[in-house]
Amino acid sequence: MKFGSRKLDLSFPRVMGILNVTPDSFYDGGKLHDSHGVLKERVLKVAEKMVFDGADFLDIGGESTRPGAKAVSEQEEMDRVLPIVEAIAQNIDAVISVDTSSPSLMLEAARKGAGLINDVRALERAGAVEAAKDSGLPVCLMHMQGMPATMQENPSYSDVVAEVNNYLLQRVDACLQAGIAREQIILDPGFGFGKTDNHNLALLKKLELCGNGEFPLLVGMSRKSMIGRLLGRDLADRMPGSLALAMVALRNGASIIRVHDVAETADVVKIFQLAQ
Ligand code: 8Y7
């Protein structure tokens, strides 16, 4: 698959490191900030280490989508994300994934060297499908039920696997109609986005059915609250659970694993490939 200027073979699994440039991210909660905003030097150091540890993708987000997070203006999101995209593109050898639903950020980030659009709203915002198409970049379409602020209040499905799949295939159609190539589409069931633990587990068990097996799959479960509930673990103690979930996702067909803990997840990927 072609990610801007970089080509990556997704027939073997890849690790995506999470670089949050929001001051209120649920895990790294502003570690990359001071009172003046994002610290470029600090971000570059962390990014460099992630790539050294085995990340092929770096996911950069400027809008927190955790349940109850405050909305940011489009301008604020751009101000946070674009300088970081530019700095990483100039200094680090990785595909930059931009975690955004904003059409103008998609276009600007592509100009500054981003290689993938990761939209938790699956390009549903007005103008987003067109912007993604014009960016020329591949897209990751994710399923979410409801909106971030309220999505965990009462998630409900009659058949979660079928409904998530139908939604994603419908979004694929919207992309194809706008002229985005089929080969440029990655799908993601959206673990934790309007889902109970049972919904998440059902989706994980049937991951191969997602997109009818016709698209590369990205999964993000790293340190999410499901692990906290299933194991009774605080955020700081959720790495083993995250690694176990990564292994299951790999067995069930995931191509890209989006994580906080890159080195450890890269080990899981290696063992998975050697022991299959
Ligand atoms: C996901 C994601 C988040 C995910 C994709 C968190 C931005 C919440 N989760 N993008 N983003 N998939 N594609 O806990 O699961 O990292 S934010």
mmCIF file of all heavy atoms in Angstrom, residues 16 18 20 25-27 59-61 63-67 97 99-100 117-120 140-143 151 186-193 218-225 258-260, ligand 1:
data_model
loop_
_atom_site.group_PDB
_atom_site.id
_atom_site.type_symbol
_atom_site.label_atom_id
_atom_site.label_comp_id
_atom_site.label_asym_id
_atom_site.label_seq_id
_atom_site.Cartn_x
_atom_site.Cartn_y
_atom_site.Cartn_z
ATOM 1 N N MET A 16 1.644 0.607 14.906
ATOM 2 C CA MET A 16 1.413 2.061 14.850
ATOM 3 C C MET A 16 1.571 2.610 16.262
ATOM 4 O O MET A 16 0.863 2.189 17.182
ATOM 5 C CB MET A 16 -0.001 2.336 14.316
ATOM 6 C CG MET A 16 -0.434 3.788 14.386
ATOM 7 S SD MET A 16 -2.133 4.051 13.802
ATOM 8 C CE MET A 16 -1.884 4.102 12.030
ATOM 9 N N ILE A 18 1.231 5.535 19.076
ATOM 10 C CA ILE A 18 0.304 6.646 19.341
ATOM 11 C C ILE A 18 1.068 7.847 19.887
ATOM 12 O O ILE A 18 1.744 7.746 20.911
ATOM 13 C CB ILE A 18 -0.764 6.233 20.381
ATOM 14 C CG1 ILE A 18 -1.538 5.009 19.890
ATOM 15 C CG2 ILE A 18 -1.700 7.405 20.690
ATOM 16 C CD1 ILE A 18 -2.449 4.393 20.955
ATOM 17 N N ASN A 20 0.100 11.400 21.112
ATOM 18 C CA ASN A 20 -0.997 12.324 21.405
ATOM 19 C C ASN A 20 -0.477 13.725 21.617
ATOM 20 O O ASN A 20 0.339 13.946 22.499
ATOM 21 C CB ASN A 20 -1.732 11.877 22.658
ATOM 22 C CG ASN A 20 -2.878 10.961 22.314
ATOM 23 O OD1 ASN A 20 -3.669 11.258 21.415
ATOM 24 N ND2 ASN A 20 -2.972 9.860 23.011
ATOM 25 N N SER A 25 -5.102 13.763 26.780
ATOM 26 C CA SER A 25 -5.255 12.386 26.323
ATOM 27 C C SER A 25 -5.374 11.452 27.533
ATOM 28 O O SER A 25 -4.842 11.725 28.599
ATOM 29 C CB SER A 25 -4.070 11.998 25.448
ATOM 30 O OG SER A 25 -3.343 10.955 26.031
ATOM 31 N N PHE A 26 -6.094 10.341 27.366
ATOM 32 C CA PHE A 26 -6.433 9.526 28.549
ATOM 33 C C PHE A 26 -5.236 8.815 29.141
ATOM 34 O O PHE A 26 -5.204 8.539 30.328
ATOM 35 C CB PHE A 26 -7.564 8.533 28.222
ATOM 36 C CG PHE A 26 -7.100 7.210 27.673
ATOM 37 C CD1 PHE A 26 -6.898 6.120 28.517
ATOM 38 C CD2 PHE A 26 -6.878 7.051 26.321
ATOM 39 C CE1 PHE A 26 -6.471 4.896 28.016
ATOM 40 C CE2 PHE A 26 -6.451 5.834 25.814
ATOM 41 C CZ PHE A 26 -6.246 4.751 26.661
ATOM 42 N N TYR A 27 -4.221 8.535 28.330
ATOM 43 C CA TYR A 27 -3.079 7.785 28.869
ATOM 44 C C TYR A 27 -1.876 8.678 29.127
ATOM 45 O O TYR A 27 -1.415 8.818 30.259
ATOM 46 C CB TYR A 27 -2.705 6.636 27.935
ATOM 47 C CG TYR A 27 -1.444 5.916 28.354
ATOM 48 C CD1 TYR A 27 -1.309 5.441 29.659
ATOM 49 C CD2 TYR A 27 -0.401 5.728 27.462
ATOM 50 C CE1 TYR A 27 -0.159 4.788 30.060
ATOM 51 C CE2 TYR A 27 0.749 5.068 27.854
ATOM 52 C CZ TYR A 27 0.878 4.613 29.159
ATOM 53 O OH TYR A 27 2.012 3.968 29.542
ATOM 54 N N ASP A 59 0.787 7.685 14.777
ATOM 55 C CA ASP A 59 -0.546 8.282 14.691
ATOM 56 C C ASP A 59 -0.573 9.557 15.518
ATOM 57 O O ASP A 59 -0.371 9.526 16.732
ATOM 58 C CB ASP A 59 -1.587 7.283 15.216
ATOM 59 C CG ASP A 59 -3.012 7.707 14.891
ATOM 60 O OD1 ASP A 59 -3.250 8.215 13.774
ATOM 61 O OD2 ASP A 59 -3.901 7.528 15.755
ATOM 62 N N ILE A 60 -0.824 10.667 14.852
ATOM 63 C CA ILE A 60 -0.799 11.959 15.518
ATOM 64 C C ILE A 60 -2.199 12.540 15.602
ATOM 65 O O ILE A 60 -2.858 12.735 14.579
ATOM 66 C CB ILE A 60 0.118 12.934 14.756
ATOM 67 C CG1 ILE A 60 1.504 12.306 14.612
ATOM 68 C CG2 ILE A 60 0.196 14.281 15.466
ATOM 69 C CD1 ILE A 60 2.448 13.141 13.808
ATOM 70 N N GLY A 61 -2.656 12.789 16.818
ATOM 71 C CA GLY A 61 -4.007 13.311 17.000
ATOM 72 C C GLY A 61 -4.022 14.547 17.862
ATOM 73 O O GLY A 61 -3.288 14.637 18.843
ATOM 74 N N GLU A 63 -7.189 15.941 18.738
ATOM 75 C CA GLU A 63 -8.532 16.048 19.316
ATOM 76 C C GLU A 63 -8.740 14.814 20.172
ATOM 77 O O GLU A 63 -8.647 13.697 19.697
ATOM 78 C CB GLU A 63 -9.599 16.060 18.200
ATOM 79 C CG GLU A 63 -11.009 16.162 18.722
ATOM 80 C CD GLU A 63 -12.055 15.405 17.890
ATOM 81 O OE1 GLU A 63 -11.701 14.529 17.092
ATOM 82 O OE2 GLU A 63 -13.247 15.698 18.078
ATOM 83 N N SER A 64 -9.003 14.988 21.459
ATOM 84 C CA SER A 64 -9.239 13.821 22.300
ATOM 85 C C SER A 64 -10.636 13.301 22.040
ATOM 86 O O SER A 64 -11.606 14.042 22.093
ATOM 87 C CB SER A 64 -9.084 14.171 23.780
ATOM 88 O OG SER A 64 -9.302 12.999 24.540
ATOM 89 N N THR A 65 -10.725 11.978 21.748
ATOM 90 C CA THR A 65 -12.048 11.390 21.501
ATOM 91 C C THR A 65 -12.473 10.504 22.667
ATOM 92 O O THR A 65 -13.421 9.767 22.556
ATOM 93 C CB THR A 65 -12.043 10.560 20.194
ATOM 94 O OG1 THR A 65 -10.844 9.790 20.160
ATOM 95 C CG2 THR A 65 -12.110 11.450 18.988
ATOM 96 N N ARG A 66 -11.730 10.602 23.774
ATOM 97 C CA ARG A 66 -12.143 9.746 24.892
ATOM 98 C C ARG A 66 -13.499 10.224 25.402
ATOM 99 O O ARG A 66 -13.852 11.412 25.259
ATOM 100 C CB ARG A 66 -11.081 9.757 25.991
ATOM 101 C CG ARG A 66 -11.032 11.013 26.803
ATOM 102 C CD ARG A 66 -9.897 10.940 27.807
ATOM 103 N NE ARG A 66 -9.477 12.258 28.206
ATOM 104 C CZ ARG A 66 -10.131 13.030 29.070
ATOM 105 N NH1 ARG A 66 -11.249 12.609 29.623
ATOM 106 N NH2 ARG A 66 -9.685 14.224 29.370
ATOM 107 N N PRO A 67 -14.279 9.288 26.014
ATOM 108 C CA PRO A 67 -15.613 9.663 26.471
ATOM 109 C C PRO A 67 -15.560 10.904 27.364
ATOM 110 O O PRO A 67 -14.764 10.976 28.290
ATOM 111 C CB PRO A 67 -16.063 8.427 27.284
ATOM 112 C CG PRO A 67 -15.266 7.289 26.732
ATOM 113 C CD PRO A 67 -13.965 7.878 26.275
ATOM 114 N N SER A 97 0.427 9.042 10.335
ATOM 115 C CA SER A 97 -1.014 8.897 10.262
ATOM 116 C C SER A 97 -1.616 10.084 11.003
ATOM 117 O O SER A 97 -1.216 10.380 12.131
ATOM 118 C CB SER A 97 -1.396 7.574 10.937
ATOM 119 O OG SER A 97 -2.749 7.569 11.320
ATOM 120 N N ASP A 99 -4.723 11.572 12.809
ATOM 121 C CA ASP A 99 -5.986 11.183 13.443
ATOM 122 C C ASP A 99 -6.866 12.422 13.492
ATOM 123 O O ASP A 99 -6.741 13.253 14.378
ATOM 124 C CB ASP A 99 -5.631 10.619 14.835
ATOM 125 C CG ASP A 99 -6.739 10.735 15.864
ATOM 126 O OD1 ASP A 99 -7.913 10.819 15.481
ATOM 127 O OD2 ASP A 99 -6.418 10.741 17.073
ATOM 128 N N THR A 100 -7.755 12.538 12.500
ATOM 129 C CA THR A 100 -8.590 13.736 12.409
ATOM 130 C C THR A 100 -9.872 13.449 11.641
ATOM 131 O O THR A 100 -9.933 12.529 10.827
ATOM 132 C CB THR A 100 -7.848 14.895 11.717
ATOM 133 O OG1 THR A 100 -8.625 16.096 11.841
ATOM 134 C CG2 THR A 100 -7.596 14.623 10.235
ATOM 135 N N ILE A 117 -4.744 8.979 6.494
ATOM 136 C CA ILE A 117 -5.803 9.666 7.231
ATOM 137 C C ILE A 117 -6.528 8.646 8.098
ATOM 138 O O ILE A 117 -7.064 7.659 7.584
ATOM 139 C CB ILE A 117 -6.786 10.368 6.262
ATOM 140 C CG1 ILE A 117 -6.066 11.514 5.551
ATOM 141 C CG2 ILE A 117 -8.016 10.865 7.017
ATOM 142 C CD1 ILE A 117 -6.818 12.061 4.356
ATOM 143 N N ASN A 118 -6.509 8.865 9.398
ATOM 144 C CA ASN A 118 -7.177 7.977 10.352
ATOM 145 C C ASN A 118 -8.355 8.727 10.946
ATOM 146 O O ASN A 118 -8.179 9.575 11.806
ATOM 147 C CB ASN A 118 -6.184 7.566 11.453
ATOM 148 C CG ASN A 118 -6.843 6.756 12.548
ATOM 149 O OD1 ASN A 118 -7.834 6.050 12.299
ATOM 150 N ND2 ASN A 118 -6.322 6.850 13.762
ATOM 151 N N ASP A 119 -9.567 8.409 10.452
ATOM 152 C CA ASP A 119 -10.732 9.173 10.902
ATOM 153 C C ASP A 119 -11.692 8.292 11.688
ATOM 154 O O ASP A 119 -12.342 7.408 11.131
ATOM 155 C CB ASP A 119 -11.445 9.800 9.693
ATOM 156 C CG ASP A 119 -12.612 10.693 10.119
ATOM 157 O OD1 ASP A 119 -12.823 10.871 11.340
ATOM 158 O OD2 ASP A 119 -13.324 11.207 9.227
ATOM 159 N N VAL A 120 -11.806 8.562 12.994
ATOM 160 C CA VAL A 120 -12.719 7.793 13.843
ATOM 161 C C VAL A 120 -14.182 8.045 13.463
ATOM 162 O O VAL A 120 -15.069 7.325 13.905
ATOM 163 C CB VAL A 120 -12.512 8.090 15.348
ATOM 164 C CG1 VAL A 120 -11.090 7.735 15.781
ATOM 165 C CG2 VAL A 120 -12.831 9.551 15.683
ATOM 166 N N CYS A 140 -8.150 5.285 6.846
ATOM 167 C CA CYS A 140 -8.652 4.254 7.760
ATOM 168 C C CYS A 140 -10.032 4.694 8.207
ATOM 169 O O CYS A 140 -10.194 5.751 8.815
ATOM 170 C CB CYS A 140 -7.738 4.065 8.959
ATOM 171 S SG CYS A 140 -8.428 2.862 10.140
ATOM 172 N N LEU A 141 -11.034 3.861 7.887
ATOM 173 C CA LEU A 141 -12.420 4.142 8.254
ATOM 174 C C LEU A 141 -12.755 3.358 9.509
ATOM 175 O O LEU A 141 -12.641 2.130 9.527
ATOM 176 C CB LEU A 141 -13.364 3.698 7.121
ATOM 177 C CG LEU A 141 -13.072 4.260 5.727
ATOM 178 C CD1 LEU A 141 -13.988 3.594 4.690
ATOM 179 C CD2 LEU A 141 -13.261 5.778 5.714
ATOM 180 N N MET A 142 -13.163 4.057 10.559
ATOM 181 C CA MET A 142 -13.469 3.395 11.824
ATOM 182 C C MET A 142 -14.944 3.488 12.151
ATOM 183 O O MET A 142 -15.593 4.491 11.854
ATOM 184 C CB MET A 142 -12.643 4.012 12.962
ATOM 185 C CG MET A 142 -12.580 3.144 14.203
ATOM 186 S SD MET A 142 -12.035 4.069 15.664
ATOM 187 C CE MET A 142 -13.583 4.880 16.101
ATOM 188 N N HIS A 143 -15.461 2.442 12.784
ATOM 189 C CA HIS A 143 -16.853 2.464 13.244
ATOM 190 C C HIS A 143 -16.960 3.058 14.650
ATOM 191 O O HIS A 143 -16.160 2.747 15.526
ATOM 192 C CB HIS A 143 -17.447 1.053 13.273
ATOM 193 C CG HIS A 143 -18.825 1.020 13.883
ATOM 194 N ND1 HIS A 143 -19.039 0.924 15.252
ATOM 195 C CD2 HIS A 143 -20.049 1.137 13.315
ATOM 196 C CE1 HIS A 143 -20.340 0.958 15.480
ATOM 197 N NE2 HIS A 143 -20.973 1.081 14.328
ATOM 198 N N MET A 151 -20.949 8.293 23.844
ATOM 199 C CA MET A 151 -21.012 6.976 23.178
ATOM 200 C C MET A 151 -21.016 5.783 24.133
ATOM 201 O O MET A 151 -21.495 4.718 23.781
ATOM 202 C CB MET A 151 -19.864 6.839 22.174
ATOM 203 C CG MET A 151 -18.477 6.807 22.800
ATOM 204 S SD MET A 151 -17.186 6.973 21.571
ATOM 205 C CE MET A 151 -15.720 6.984 22.620
ATOM 206 N N ILE A 186 -8.459 1.126 4.538
ATOM 207 C CA ILE A 186 -8.201 0.282 5.700
ATOM 208 C C ILE A 186 -9.437 0.391 6.595
ATOM 209 O O ILE A 186 -10.030 1.476 6.684
ATOM 210 C CB ILE A 186 -6.945 0.791 6.461
ATOM 211 C CG1 ILE A 186 -5.703 0.657 5.562
ATOM 212 C CG2 ILE A 186 -6.750 0.058 7.783
ATOM 213 C CD1 ILE A 186 -4.468 1.380 6.122
ATOM 214 N N LEU A 187 -9.826 -0.704 7.234
ATOM 215 C CA LEU A 187 -11.016 -0.662 8.095
ATOM 216 C C LEU A 187 -10.664 -0.969 9.547
ATOM 217 O O LEU A 187 -9.654 -1.621 9.833
ATOM 218 C CB LEU A 187 -12.074 -1.660 7.594
ATOM 219 C CG LEU A 187 -12.593 -1.437 6.173
ATOM 220 C CD1 LEU A 187 -13.641 -2.487 5.819
ATOM 221 C CD2 LEU A 187 -13.154 -0.028 5.996
ATOM 222 N N ASP A 188 -11.526 -0.500 10.444
ATOM 223 C CA ASP A 188 -11.294 -0.640 11.884
ATOM 224 C C ASP A 188 -12.649 -0.722 12.589
ATOM 225 O O ASP A 188 -13.467 0.185 12.437
ATOM 226 C CB ASP A 188 -10.506 0.601 12.361
ATOM 227 C CG ASP A 188 -10.162 0.564 13.839
ATOM 228 O OD1 ASP A 188 -10.801 -0.171 14.610
ATOM 229 O OD2 ASP A 188 -9.238 1.316 14.229
ATOM 230 N N PRO A 189 -12.892 -1.797 13.353
ATOM 231 C CA PRO A 189 -14.188 -1.923 14.037
ATOM 232 C C PRO A 189 -14.389 -0.903 15.155
ATOM 233 O O PRO A 189 -15.512 -0.733 15.634
ATOM 234 C CB PRO A 189 -14.183 -3.348 14.585
ATOM 235 C CG PRO A 189 -12.753 -3.750 14.646
ATOM 236 C CD PRO A 189 -12.034 -2.980 13.566
ATOM 237 N N GLY A 190 -13.344 -0.211 15.574
ATOM 238 C CA GLY A 190 -13.511 0.856 16.567
ATOM 239 C C GLY A 190 -13.753 0.346 17.980
ATOM 240 O O GLY A 190 -14.763 0.670 18.609
ATOM 241 N N PHE A 191 -12.797 -0.407 18.511
ATOM 242 C CA PHE A 191 -12.945 -0.945 19.868
ATOM 243 C C PHE A 191 -13.126 0.184 20.877
ATOM 244 O O PHE A 191 -12.351 1.154 20.882
ATOM 245 C CB PHE A 191 -11.734 -1.812 20.232
ATOM 246 C CG PHE A 191 -11.665 -3.074 19.417
ATOM 247 C CD1 PHE A 191 -10.769 -3.194 18.358
ATOM 248 C CD2 PHE A 191 -12.536 -4.131 19.680
ATOM 249 C CE1 PHE A 191 -10.727 -4.351 17.593
ATOM 250 C CE2 PHE A 191 -12.502 -5.291 18.919
ATOM 251 C CZ PHE A 191 -11.598 -5.397 17.870
ATOM 252 N N GLY A 192 -14.157 0.059 21.694
ATOM 253 C CA GLY A 192 -14.415 1.048 22.743
ATOM 254 C C GLY A 192 -15.202 2.270 22.302
ATOM 255 O O GLY A 192 -15.521 3.120 23.116
ATOM 256 N N PHE A 193 -15.526 2.343 21.025
ATOM 257 C CA PHE A 193 -16.260 3.513 20.528
ATOM 258 C C PHE A 193 -17.754 3.190 20.433
ATOM 259 O O PHE A 193 -18.260 2.825 19.386
ATOM 260 C CB PHE A 193 -15.714 3.962 19.174
ATOM 261 C CG PHE A 193 -14.408 4.710 19.259
ATOM 262 C CD1 PHE A 193 -13.202 4.030 19.340
ATOM 263 C CD2 PHE A 193 -14.385 6.100 19.275
ATOM 264 C CE1 PHE A 193 -11.993 4.715 19.426
ATOM 265 C CE2 PHE A 193 -13.184 6.791 19.359
ATOM 266 C CZ PHE A 193 -11.986 6.105 19.433
ATOM 267 N N LEU A 218 -7.068 -2.361 10.851
ATOM 268 C CA LEU A 218 -6.322 -1.692 11.915
ATOM 269 C C LEU A 218 -7.118 -1.896 13.202
ATOM 270 O O LEU A 218 -8.350 -1.813 13.182
ATOM 271 C CB LEU A 218 -6.187 -0.208 11.575
ATOM 272 C CG LEU A 218 -5.301 0.708 12.427
ATOM 273 C CD1 LEU A 218 -4.901 1.927 11.592
ATOM 274 C CD2 LEU A 218 -5.964 1.183 13.699
ATOM 275 N N VAL A 219 -6.435 -2.186 14.303
ATOM 276 C CA VAL A 219 -7.142 -2.297 15.581
ATOM 277 C C VAL A 219 -6.460 -1.454 16.648
ATOM 278 O O VAL A 219 -5.233 -1.335 16.687
ATOM 279 C CB VAL A 219 -7.243 -3.758 16.090
ATOM 280 C CG1 VAL A 219 -8.023 -4.625 15.116
ATOM 281 C CG2 VAL A 219 -5.877 -4.339 16.371
ATOM 282 N N GLY A 220 -7.275 -0.865 17.503
ATOM 283 C CA GLY A 220 -6.768 -0.065 18.608
ATOM 284 C C GLY A 220 -7.423 -0.500 19.910
ATOM 285 O O GLY A 220 -8.593 -0.221 20.146
ATOM 286 N N MET A 221 -6.678 -1.231 20.717
ATOM 287 C CA MET A 221 -7.225 -1.641 22.024
ATOM 288 C C MET A 221 -6.291 -1.245 23.159
ATOM 289 O O MET A 221 -6.596 -1.440 24.331
ATOM 290 C CB MET A 221 -7.463 -3.159 22.029
ATOM 291 C CG MET A 221 -8.539 -3.570 21.033
ATOM 292 S SD MET A 221 -8.938 -5.327 21.073
ATOM 293 C CE MET A 221 -7.572 -5.980 20.116
ATOM 294 N N SER A 222 -5.151 -0.665 22.803
ATOM 295 C CA SER A 222 -4.083 -0.402 23.755
ATOM 296 C C SER A 222 -4.566 0.345 24.997
ATOM 297 O O SER A 222 -5.058 1.478 24.904
ATOM 298 C CB SER A 222 -3.000 0.419 23.046
ATOM 299 O OG SER A 222 -1.898 0.638 23.890
ATOM 300 N N ARG A 223 -4.460 -0.293 26.130
ATOM 301 C CA ARG A 223 -4.753 0.297 27.450
ATOM 302 C C ARG A 223 -6.177 0.817 27.598
ATOM 303 O O ARG A 223 -6.468 1.621 28.503
ATOM 304 C CB ARG A 223 -3.739 1.402 27.790
ATOM 305 C CG ARG A 223 -2.317 0.855 27.921
ATOM 306 C CD ARG A 223 -1.349 1.896 28.434
ATOM 307 N NE ARG A 223 0.017 1.376 28.473
ATOM 308 C CZ ARG A 223 0.647 0.986 29.596
ATOM 309 N NH1 ARG A 223 0.045 1.058 30.762
ATOM 310 N NH2 ARG A 223 1.880 0.540 29.538
ATOM 311 N N LYS A 224 -7.076 0.388 26.728
ATOM 312 C CA LYS A 224 -8.436 0.913 26.811
ATOM 313 C C LYS A 224 -9.162 0.378 28.040
ATOM 314 O O LYS A 224 -8.765 -0.618 28.639
ATOM 315 C CB LYS A 224 -9.197 0.601 25.513
ATOM 316 C CG LYS A 224 -8.796 1.580 24.394
ATOM 317 C CD LYS A 224 -9.604 1.437 23.132
ATOM 318 C CE LYS A 224 -9.137 2.494 22.115
ATOM 319 N NZ LYS A 224 -9.735 2.299 20.787
ATOM 320 N N SER A 225 -10.281 1.057 28.365
ATOM 321 C CA SER A 225 -10.965 0.781 29.636
ATOM 322 C C SER A 225 -11.506 -0.641 29.710
ATOM 323 O O SER A 225 -11.673 -1.182 30.805
ATOM 324 C CB SER A 225 -12.070 1.799 29.859
ATOM 325 O OG SER A 225 -12.988 1.727 28.795
ATOM 326 N N ARG A 258 -2.483 -0.491 16.688
ATOM 327 C CA ARG A 258 -2.263 0.882 17.185
ATOM 328 C C ARG A 258 -2.059 0.842 18.699
ATOM 329 O O ARG A 258 -2.972 0.453 19.422
ATOM 330 C CB ARG A 258 -3.484 1.738 16.820
ATOM 331 C CG ARG A 258 -3.401 3.188 17.251
ATOM 332 C CD ARG A 258 -4.710 3.900 16.900
ATOM 333 N NE ARG A 258 -4.698 5.282 17.326
ATOM 334 C CZ ARG A 258 -4.992 5.666 18.565
ATOM 335 N NH1 ARG A 258 -5.323 4.806 19.483
ATOM 336 N NH2 ARG A 258 -4.949 6.955 18.868
ATOM 337 N N VAL A 259 -0.849 1.246 19.140
ATOM 338 C CA VAL A 259 -0.501 1.045 20.558
ATOM 339 C C VAL A 259 0.311 2.182 21.173
ATOM 340 O O VAL A 259 0.972 2.951 20.473
ATOM 341 C CB VAL A 259 0.335 -0.254 20.745
ATOM 342 C CG1 VAL A 259 -0.480 -1.481 20.373
ATOM 343 C CG2 VAL A 259 1.637 -0.200 19.958
ATOM 344 N N HIS A 260 0.284 2.210 22.505
ATOM 345 C CA HIS A 260 1.165 3.097 23.253
ATOM 346 C C HIS A 260 2.546 2.458 23.426
ATOM 347 O O HIS A 260 3.551 3.154 23.427
ATOM 348 C CB HIS A 260 0.576 3.374 24.639
ATOM 349 C CG HIS A 260 -0.785 4.013 24.583
ATOM 350 N ND1 HIS A 260 -1.949 3.282 24.577
ATOM 351 C CD2 HIS A 260 -1.148 5.315 24.513
ATOM 352 C CE1 HIS A 260 -2.979 4.111 24.512
ATOM 353 N NE2 HIS A 260 -2.529 5.356 24.474
HETATM 354 C C1 8Y7 B 1 -8.670 4.397 17.983
HETATM 355 C C2 8Y7 B 1 -8.288 5.431 17.123
HETATM 356 C C3 8Y7 B 1 -8.384 6.180 19.155
HETATM 357 C C4 8Y7 B 1 -8.937 3.121 17.436
HETATM 358 C C5 8Y7 B 1 -8.394 4.065 15.273
HETATM 359 C C6 8Y7 B 1 -7.555 5.598 22.410
HETATM 360 C C7 8Y7 B 1 -7.741 7.835 17.362
HETATM 361 C C8 8Y7 B 1 -8.662 6.396 21.906
HETATM 362 N N1 8Y7 B 1 -8.705 4.886 19.256
HETATM 363 N N2 8Y7 B 1 -8.148 5.279 15.784
HETATM 364 N N3 8Y7 B 1 -8.113 6.537 17.880
HETATM 365 N N4 8Y7 B 1 -8.776 3.003 16.072
HETATM 366 N N5 8Y7 B 1 -8.270 3.850 13.951
HETATM 367 O O1 8Y7 B 1 -7.795 4.945 23.467
HETATM 368 O O2 8Y7 B 1 -9.307 2.150 18.090
HETATM 369 O O3 8Y7 B 1 -6.459 5.545 21.882
HETATM 370 S S1 8Y7 B 1 -8.311 7.339 20.460
#
